[in-house]
């Protein structure tokens, strides 16, 4: 091997170093980085929908609402569900544990917690747009009733769509991803 090749191979790869650094930070602070990344992804998704799909002017109240959803539910609540509830019940990544976690997420937490919560946030966002107010004049009871009515109208299609993505997707979540990377992966 030439001296130039030895010199090139002896130097650390900057991309690999950056990835390793990020992984170490995420492993050290899994809750904070998981919640932060999740909130950023949810905010970016809302902005993408507003600007590219709907082609409407920016609605900062709606973006704030979806950022809150990303932080509170997809960040905090799902961190607890995925890493503090499901993992201790079905520890490890043996085949039975992975299948149990996949079933728990797809057939219990998503239909009973995630989708109803999403519909509630979506209902509040709809009322924000209709009333042009950050906090719409809508009781939580009325919003929940409206959200659940819409959820029940769409639940079978929503379940089939989420299962088509997340039954195989959660194989990656639970069989491959270490716990500190699960939240950024799924949200």
């Amino acid at each position: 091997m030439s001296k130039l090749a030895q010199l090139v191979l002896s130097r650390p790869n900057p991309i690999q170093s950056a990835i390793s650094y990020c992984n170490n930070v995420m492993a050290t602070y899994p809750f904070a980085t998981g919640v932060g990344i999740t909130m950023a992804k949810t905010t970016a998704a809302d902005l993408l929908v507003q600007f590219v799909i709907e082609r409407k002017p920016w609605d900062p109240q709606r973006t704030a609402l979806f950022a809150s959803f990303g932080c509170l539910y997809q960040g905090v609540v799902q961190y607890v569900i995925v890493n503090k509830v499901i993992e201790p019940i079905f520890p490890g990544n043996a085949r039975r544990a992975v299948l149990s976690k996949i079933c728990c997420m797809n057939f219990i937490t998503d239909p009973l917690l995630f989708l109803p919560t999403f519909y509630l946030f979506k209902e509040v966002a709809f009322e924000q747009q209709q009333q042009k107010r950050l906090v719409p004049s809508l009781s939580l009871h009325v919003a929940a009733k409206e959200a659940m009515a819409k959820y029940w109208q769409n639940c079978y299609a929503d379940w089939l769509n989420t299962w088509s993505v997340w039954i195989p997707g959660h194989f990656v979540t639970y069989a491959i991803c270490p716990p500190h990377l699960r939240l950024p992966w799924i949200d």
Side-chain angles (χ1 to χ4, degrees):
M1 188 181 299
S2 72
K3 288 186 179 196
L4 178 60
Q6 286 177 344
L7 179 65
V8 168
L9 293 175
S10 69
R11 303 231 173 196
N13 180 337
I15 294 172
Q16 188 177 19
S17 296
I19 291 170
S20 179
Y21 175 78
C22 289
N23 185 56
N24 290 337
V25 168
M26 293 172 77
T28 304
Y29 306 103
F31 178 77
T33 56
V35 170
I37 290 169
T38 299
M39 187 173 78
K41 285 172 55 176
T42 307
T43 304
D46 178 62
L47 293 171
L48 179 73
V49 168
Q50 286 188 53
F51 294 140
V52 176
I53 295 172
E54 296 175 348
R55 297 186 185 275
K56 292 181 179 177
W58 180 44
D59 181 350
Q61 288 90 3
R62 176 178 143 171
T63 301
L65 184 74
F66 279 97
S68 299
F69 176 74
C71 177
L72 298 174
Y73 184 86
Q74 290 186 299
V76 174
V77 173
Q78 283 203 314
Y79 178 86
V80 171
I81 290 169
V82 169
N83 292 312
K84 301 299 181 185
V85 175
I86 294 176
E87 186 61 34
I89 295 171
F90 308 110
N93 62 352
R95 185 177 315 157
R96 186 177 185 143
V98 170
L99 290 174
S100 297
K101 293 173 197 178
I102 290 170
C103 288
C104 190
M105 283 297 287
N106 282 286
F107 302 118
I108 297 173
T109 64
D110 285 354
L112 297 178
L113 297 173
F114 171 72
L115 289 168
T117 304
F118 176 74
Y119 271 85
L120 180 59
F121 270 79
K122 195 172 164 185
E123 185 64 25
V124 172
F126 174 76
E127 288 299 324
Q128 277 181 335
Q129 289 177 329
Q130 296 301 310
Q131 298 177 19
K132 307 253 188 266
R133 297 174 60 174
L134 179 59
V135 179
S137 59
L138 176 75
S139 76
L140 187 57
H141 174 75
V142 171
K145 186 177 175 181
E146 290 291 320
M148 291 306 97
K150 290 175 183 175
Y151 174 51
W152 283 115
Q153 286 178 335
N154 300 321
C155 66
Y156 296 114
D158 288 346
W159 295 344
L160 292 175
N161 288 330
T162 59
W163 294 340
S164 70
V165 172
W166 288 110
I167 288 177
H170 283 314
F171 173 79
V172 174
T173 305
Y174 294 113
I176 298 171
C177 283
H180 68 279
L181 297 179
R182 289 178 181 164
L183 204 59
W185 159 251
I186 65 173
D187 292 320

